[in-house]
Amino acid sequence: MIYDLRSDTVTKPTPEMRQAMAEAEVGDDVYGEDPTVHELETLGAELVGQEAALFVPSGTMGNQVAILTHTHRGDEIIAESNAHIVYYEVGGCAVLSGVQLRTIPGRNGYMEPTAIEEAIRGADVHFPESRLLCLENTHNRSGGTVVSPEAMERMIQAAHGKGLRVHLDGARIFNAAAALGVKADKLTRSCDSVMFCLSKGLAAPVGSLLAGSAEFIVRARKYRKMLGGGMRQAGILAAAGIIALQKMIGRLGEDHHNAAALAQGIAGINGLSVDLSSVQTNMVVFDISGLRTTMESFLNQLAEAGVLAGPVGSSKVRMVTHKDISATDIPIVIQIINKISTRTIIG
Ligand SMILES: Cc1ncc(COP(=O)(O)O)c(C=O)c1O
């Protein structure tokens, strides 16, 4: 048995998704003729309180199409220092949009409104135009932490007050909403655009949605085409996305419960430390600097014992719970981590 905790992206589609994919009504979506894609886009837009949405192959493309649509070459965009857009998108906003990134430090995805306001440029011949603020909820590199609706509003107001647009990287926005016990649109409706993923905890095989005003989505559709993201009979993929939105959001709490149990177990293991306050959704990040081992060796030993995890920096390991990891798997995973850590601390 392999316990694959590297990411929630490893989830396999459900039997219901596979059935819906096989039976999906399709058409050429570049001609706007795929009814299943239309249904997914309408449903997705509604869930995040926006007018329209666009089905894109990946979260990265969704974020990059949003930046292309909001900005002009030479503009400056503001993002948190550890944002996915800054860290993991291959420098795409420089290459594709020709914009400059201004990063400001945050805490668990929250940036102080005063820091946002200070980063926004005034009128000066030397300055680029500050155009866009990018937010992320849940915040991946902080370990899936949640930003509350009130905190979101404060950051959005700081940007809107100075004429900037706001894009939300909401790859896991339904995890945030589940953890807060609110509807997702409470976190998203004041943003000018929102990207969220179907292919992570919601278990669809492929795809994300970019949502915004109807006018914004018309322009975003052209940029998606430019990047090669115009898909033909994409209803086959959208069919799984519809099930993801209708049936999989309600079970995310289980993943959060399993992550909390995993974190509690890890906290009790000698040589490991975990900040329990940062375990808010489906991710657990723990520190192995108390062990006499390297990251590579620790991860290899885990993998040999059937547990797959990923590194965050040089001393932290990340595990992500998801629908293919059950509550009964958690004690087994804890036992394996314990065995390897004990061996390492002694050896
Ligand atoms: C916060 C965040 N944004 C964007 C993405 C990109 O999604 P994709 O892997 O579909 O490109 C991810 C993927 O892990 C993510 O965690």
Side-chain angles (χ1 to χ4, degrees), residues 138-162:
T138 64
H139 195 263
N140 184 339
R141 277 185 65 84
S142 302
T145 51
V146 169
V147 186
S148 71
E150 298 72 29
M152 289 286 294
E153 278 310 315
R154 285 197 291 275
M155 293 191 285
I156 293 167
Q157 286 319 315
H160 281 171
K162 293 206 169 205

Side-chain angles (χ1 to χ4, degrees), residues 25-328:
E25 222 185 294
V26 295
D28 188 327
D29 186 52
V30 174
Y31 291 134
E33 291 170 2
D34 191 304
T36 312
V37 171
H38 286 170
E39 188 184 336
L40 172 67
E41 290 175 342
T42 305
L43 175 61
E46 207 176 283
L47 283 172
V48 294
Q50 299 283 342
E51 275 177 4
L54 182 69
F55 185 40
V56 288
S58 69
T60 302
M61 190 186 285
N63 282 336
Q64 294 303 323
V65 165
I67 295 166
L68 271 163
T69 312
H70 281 301
T71 64
H72 302 112
R73 294 179 71 76
D75 284 348
E76 190 163 74
I77 69 174
I78 300 172
E80 198 276 331
S81 317
N82 277 297
H84 193 279
I85 283 172
V86 177
Y87 228 92
Y88 296 121
E89 301 197 2
V90 210
C93 42
V95 176
L96 302 168
S97 299
V99 297
Q100 174 163 295
L101 260 173
R102 179 94 177 261
T103 60
I104 52 181
R107 192 174 150 65
N108 293 340
Y110 179 65
M111 293 168 273
E112 285 299 334
T114 47
I116 293 171
E117 280 163 358
E118 274 167 28
I120 297 172
R121 311 283 194 146
D124 186 305
V125 70
H126 300 90
F127 292 165
E129 295 283 339
S130 301
R131 189 76 60 188
L132 182 69
L133 172 69
C134 296
L135 306 178
E136 186 177 314
N137 197 4
T138 64
H139 195 263
N140 184 339
R141 277 185 65 84
S142 302
T145 51
V146 169
V147 186
S148 71
E150 298 72 29
M152 289 286 294
E153 278 310 315
R154 285 197 291 275
M155 293 191 285
I156 293 167
Q157 286 319 315
H160 281 171
K162 293 206 169 205
L164 272 71
R165 297 287 168 132
V166 178
H167 171 68
L168 171 63
D169 175 348
R172 296 181 181 81
I173 196 64
F174 296 106
N175 291 86
L180 291 160
V182 300
K183 287 238 157 71
D185 69 352
K186 204 152 183 224
L187 298 163
T188 56
R189 62 187 169 215
S190 311
C191 298
D192 300 290
S193 59
V194 184
M195 184 285 289
F196 58 95
C197 295
L198 306 165
S199 61
K200 298 195 162 68
L202 302 184
V206 177
S208 295
L209 284 163
L210 173 64
S213 70
E215 178 272 336
F216 175 85
I217 292 300
V218 166
R219 290 188 295 116
R221 194 174 292 279
K222 281 196 91 133
Y223 284 116
R224 181 188 69 173
K225 188 78 184 86
M226 185 192 282
L227 298 184
M231 299 177 286
R232 302 296 176 174
Q233 284 73 40
I236 291 192
L237 299 173
I242 292 169
I243 310 268
L245 293 179
Q246 288 176 338
K247 304 277 176 77
M248 305 302 284
I249 292 173
R251 59 154 306 287
L252 290 174
E254 273 176 51
D255 299 341
H256 300 179
H257 190 77
N258 290 342
L262 178 61
Q264 285 290 349
I266 291 171
I269 298 175
N270 231 344
L272 302 183
S273 62
V274 51
D275 173 7
L276 292 174
S277 72
S278 73
V279 183
Q280 300 175 5
T281 57
N282 64 339
M283 295 186 191
V284 180
V285 176
F286 59 96
D287 199 303
I288 62 163
S289 18
L291 302 177
R292 275 191 288 157
T293 184
T294 60
M295 177 63 71
E296 192 184 356
S297 162
F298 185 74
L299 292 178
N300 284 343
Q301 289 181 67
L302 275 182
E304 273 163 31
V307 174
L308 305 184
V312 186
S314 57
S315 70
K316 287 185 175 158
V317 173
R318 188 185 79 162
M319 294 185 167
V320 186
T321 54
H322 51 75
K323 77 137 180 76
D324 297 331
I325 297 289
S326 71
T328 53

